[in-house]
Amino acid sequence: MDYQYILLEKQGPIGRITLNRPDRLNALIPQVGVEFLDAMGNMEADENIRVVVVTGAGRSFCAGDDMKADEAALTVAYRGPDHSKDYVYGVGRWTQMVAAMQHCPKPVIGMIRGHAWGAGINLALGCDLRVCSEDATFCTPFILRGQATGCNLLHYYVGLGVAMRMALLGEPMTAQEALQWGIAYKVAPGDKLEEATLELATRVAALPTRSLGLSKHAIYRGWFRDAMTAYEQQGLAQTLNRYTEDLEEGRRAFIEKRPPQFKGK
């Protein structure tokens, strides 16, 4: 696919997908989602890629759905008679982008600067780990636009009181607050954001990739479930992990008291 709104880059084991509408603060239209899904599929299929970084061009990660977009561009996602269904499953919807990141068998790291607002907060929270600039803000401003909203993945990270504050008042969360709540793995100065993100990505790329993917699957499937269901997911991950080459390398390295050299297989 030829990308108009996405940049796809590969550097060794690290892949990068950049939302590329900086003049609109990377606000979303369905075509962005279509291209993003194609790019995620490309990263999944490339055996050399062991970690994916998702970011936005310019001064913001993503300002949410583009409320000023041409009507024809927006109606692509709303083709069926049930608009509530189209909201979630429509062509190129951000909900599908979130699902693609969480279902990806490789770790996904968000490099967040500026706005992660509206749909943008969902994309940020859809990543497995996040490195944020000091000026990053997370916000669900729907109510300020006369719109209704929901959990926006916040229930995975914050309590009901904070989620209600953000949803009902539209108050943004700062990068430091995101760090305190565990949303951000690290907060870095703006000019050090890329360095900090690539440092984390390089570290993750050296880990056993398939084991990471199985762990992701078990965690997402086991979250907010009863303990035995969560253990079943963990047991499935452990069982499938027996067929990876990196498991044997991990055992040898432990016995030989040396750092493991994982191949991601």
Side-chain angles (χ1 to χ4, degrees):
M1 176 181 288
D2 293 327
Y3 300 134
Q4 182 179 359
Y5 300 119
I6 291 290
L7 299 177
L8 188 152
E9 305 167 84
K10 300 178 181 181
Q11 185 174 5
I14 301 173
R16 180 185 297 194
I17 300 175
T18 303
L19 306 179
N20 191 32
R21 298 185 76 214
D23 56 317
R24 298 292 303 137
L25 301 181
N26 301 309
L28 301 175
I29 56 175
Q31 184 60 26
V32 175
V34 170
E35 294 179 14
F36 183 91
L37 294 174
D38 185 85
M40 283 298 301
N42 184 298
M43 294 296 188
E44 279 195 37
D46 191 334
E47 293 185 354
N48 295 316
I49 297 300
R50 296 172 64 176
V51 61
V52 180
V53 173
V54 174
T55 191
R59 61 189 180 90
S60 283
F61 175 70
C62 176
D65 281 323
D66 193 339
M67 298 182 68
K68 294 182 179 179
D70 180 83
E71 188 67 21
L74 298 179
T75 54
V76 170
Y78 291 87
R79 291 178 172 174
D82 186 344
H83 279 198
S84 63
K85 181 178 180 180
D86 289 339
Y87 181 90
V88 179
Y89 300 105
V91 175
R93 291 292 294 153
W94 55 263
T95 50
Q96 306 304 307
M97 299 165 71
V98 170
M101 289 188 285
Q102 292 190 337
H103 293 162
C104 180
K106 302 171 183 181
V108 179
I109 298 174
M111 183 165 70
I112 316 296
R113 73 167 73 248
H115 300 79
W117 287 38
I121 193 175
N122 286 281
L123 296 187
L125 297 181
C127 299
D128 304 311
L129 297 166
R130 285 151 293 279
V131 180
C132 302
S133 64
E134 293 174 329
D135 70 343
T137 55
F138 299 82
C139 187
T140 57
F142 302 97
I143 205 72
L144 304 179
R145 312 288 187 264
Q147 297 175 306
T149 187
C151 291
N152 295 290
L153 292 184
L154 285 169
H155 56 300
Y156 286 107
Y157 298 95
V158 304
L160 183 60
V162 174
M164 283 295 188
R165 184 199 86 192
M166 295 182 69
L168 301 188
L169 300 179
E171 293 183 350
M173 174 184 287
T174 67
Q176 286 301 324
E177 287 177 310
L179 183 64
Q180 293 169 5
W181 280 105
I183 290 175
Y185 167 78
K186 186 174 185 178
V187 174
D191 60 346
K192 299 291 185 182
L193 177 61
E194 181 153 351
E195 178 182 335
T197 304
L198 292 180
E199 180 181 333
L200 176 60
T202 300
R203 174 182 165 192
V204 172
L207 296 172
T209 310
R210 292 191 177 178
S211 301
L212 291 173
L214 290 168
S215 298
K216 275 184 61 170
H217 180 89
I219 291 169
Y220 285 129
R221 290 294 181 91
W223 202 256
F224 286 143
R225 304 292 295 276
D226 63 272
M228 298 312 296
T229 300
Y231 293 151
E232 289 171 3
Q233 292 296 327
Q234 182 172 337
L236 178 61
Q238 288 273 14
T239 300
L240 294 175
N241 195 72
R242 293 177 183 175
Y243 300 97
T244 66
E245 295 179 18
D246 284 336
L247 175 61
E248 184 59 30
E249 167 60 13
R251 288 173 174 167
R252 285 203 203 100
F254 178 78
I255 293 171
E256 297 170 6
K257 295 181 170 53
R258 60 172 176 79
Q261 300 295 316
F262 295 122
K263 298 180 180 179
K265 300 180 178 180

